[in-house]
Amino acid sequence: MSLLCLRFEIKPEGNYANTLYTIRYFQYDGEGSLKLVDGPVLLNNDRVLLESKTFRLNYTAQSSEAVKFGIWIEDNFGSTPWQQTFEFNSKDSGDNGGKTPGIINPVNPGTITPIGL
C-alpha cells in the first residue's frame, strides 16, 4: 500500500458571509480510499462538508495498479466547482525509499491550490 498526503487551502476571490464548502471525489482507475485528516473517509461521489478552508487529505492506494481520481470542491452559492485530477503509479518509486507514490500528471488546480504534494 502507498500513501499520498495532500494539503489544500481555499482562497476565495471575495469574502462572503455564511459560505460553506463541500468536497467529493471520484475514483477513475485503481483501488484505494481518500480520507479527510481529522475527518471521515470519503465515499466515491459522496459530498462532505468541509469544516475549514485549510484541510489535508490522505489517499491510501490498495492495489499495485496505476491510480487516477478527481476531487471536486463546491460552495453553497452554486459557483463553478473547482476540480483537480490526480494520477500516479501506486508502486514504490524507488528513488525516495518507497515511502510515497510517484505523481505522474496533476492537472492545473485553478483558484484552489494544493499547498504541497
Side-chain angles (χ1 to χ4, degrees):
M1 285 194 286
S2 297
L3 178 66
L4 176 66
C5 300
L6 304 165
R7 296 182 301 160
F8 292 89
E9 181 176 10
I10 298 172
K11 295 183 178 180
E13 293 179 4
N15 190 9
Y16 303 101
N18 302 317
T19 303
L20 299 174
Y21 296 95
T22 59
I23 186 170
R24 64 186 173 94
Y25 97 108
F26 184 78
Q27 179 93 32
Y28 298 106
D29 294 319
E31 292 182 31
S33 63
L34 186 66
K35 181 183 185 317
L36 277 161
V37 175
D38 301 327
V41 172
L42 302 178
L43 300 176
N44 210 19
N45 213 24
D46 193 22
R47 192 170 311 220
V48 173
L49 180 66
L50 288 170
E51 299 291 331
S52 173
K53 290 182 187 175
T54 302
F55 58 95
R56 294 180 298 152
L57 298 168
N58 287 338
Y59 179 83
T60 303
Q62 297 171 337
S63 66
S64 61
E65 55 193 90
V67 171
K68 183 177 180 181
F69 63 91
I71 297 172
W72 285 262
I73 298 174
E74 300 164 288
D75 66 25
N76 57 320
F77 295 111
S79 299
T80 303
W82 172 86
Q83 189 266 332
Q84 170 79 47
T85 300
F86 295 90
E87 182 176 354
F88 62 93
N89 181 347
S90 64
K91 294 179 183 176
D92 292 341
S93 62
D95 60 344
N96 60 5
K99 294 180 182 175
T100 58
I103 298 294
I104 297 171
N105 187 24
V107 176
N108 184 351
T111 59
I112 302 173
T113 57
I115 294 172
L117 297 176

